[in-house]
Amino acid sequence: MAEWGFLTNHLHALYCVARHPGIRIREIAENVGVQERAAHRLVSDLVEGGYLTRRRIGSRNFYELHPTQPIRREGLDEVAVGEILDVLLRREGDQGTPAQPSGR
């Protein structure tokens, strides 16, 4: 049986950006478990889909998350990606309070 998981690579990349808006593509690749080229494609897909805005400051890219965008799944389009990230980031908040994804 092939290995599978509950989080897509796209959501995992969004999670990385929500935690660290100035994260490098190399770091996203390491966290998601993909090659840098694949991580670049993930981020490009998220930018093209309206989930992220990429800003260049000096030699670095910084990303702004758009948490009100719906998740891309038929039948679940009323769920915003920020709602999913809130759950994933909750453990990082103070005493059970959800941490806010960047861009809110």
Side-chain angles (χ1 to χ4, degrees):
M1 183 170 162
E3 291 209 23
W4 62 276
F6 286 103
L7 299 180
T8 66
N9 288 347
H10 285 85
L11 183 59
H12 196 162
L14 270 179
Y15 171 76
C16 293
V17 170
R19 291 185 67 219
H20 305 287
I23 194 168
R24 292 182 164 100
I25 293 291
R26 175 178 23 89
E27 295 167 319
I28 292 172
E30 290 170 4
N31 280 285
V32 175
V34 297
Q35 298 294 318
E36 282 187 49
R37 175 173 259 167
H40 187 273
R41 187 73 221 149
L42 291 170
V43 170
S44 293
D45 287 348
L46 293 167
V47 168
E48 290 170 21
Y51 292 88
L52 295 175
T53 299
R54 183 179 5 225
R55 284 190 338 254
R56 188 129 183 115
I57 299 175
S59 62
R60 297 276 308 268
N61 284 322
F62 288 84
Y63 303 96
E64 180 183 354
L65 175 66
H66 303 290
T68 59
Q69 288 288 93
I71 63 171
R72 295 175 60 129
R73 185 66 180 190
E74 189 174 331
L76 295 175
D77 51 353
E78 73 280 357
V79 178
V81 72
E83 294 176 60
I84 304 294
L85 291 171
D86 283 344
V87 171
L88 296 174
L89 295 168
R90 184 170 290 141
R91 66 189 166 104
E92 296 176 12
D94 294 22
Q95 300 176 350
T97 304
Q100 294 297 311
S102 61
R104 278 205 170 179

